[in-house]
Amino acid sequence: GHSVMFYGIELPPLIAENKALAKQIEGWHVLFGKVGYWLIGLHAVAGIVHHYVIRDNTALRMIPGKRASL
């Protein structure tokens, strides 16, 4: 129900104000944000496990300019 500024251009509202739809979209937004944070954390933990527990060269292979031997 509100206009939006986009790079200095005022865009008109695309749909009429709908509080029920806004609440549903907010719920999805929060859910996807939490899932995203969990995936980032899981990815970091997997990198630490590979480096310190499994002791393979996965982390070294991702560093640009370094050659990790197998």
Side-chain angles (χ1 to χ4, degrees):
H2 301 283
S3 60
V4 177
M5 292 299 288
F6 183 72
Y7 291 106
I9 300 171
E10 186 175 350
L11 300 175
L14 299 176
I15 59 174
E17 185 175 344
N18 184 340
K19 292 188 185 284
L21 178 62
K23 194 71 172 167
Q24 185 178 12
I25 291 173
E26 179 185 13
W28 283 102
H29 183 79
V30 169
L31 175 67
F32 287 137
K34 288 180 181 181
V35 168
Y37 282 130
W38 276 100
L39 288 174
I40 291 168
L42 182 63
H43 191 86
V45 168
I48 291 169
V49 167
H50 270 278
H51 189 72
Y52 291 109
V53 178
I54 300 173
R55 295 192 180 273
D56 60 6
N57 65 348
T58 301
L60 294 176
R61 289 186 294 148
M62 291 188 281
I63 298 173
K66 294 276 188 179
R67 289 216 27 120
S69 59
L70 294 173

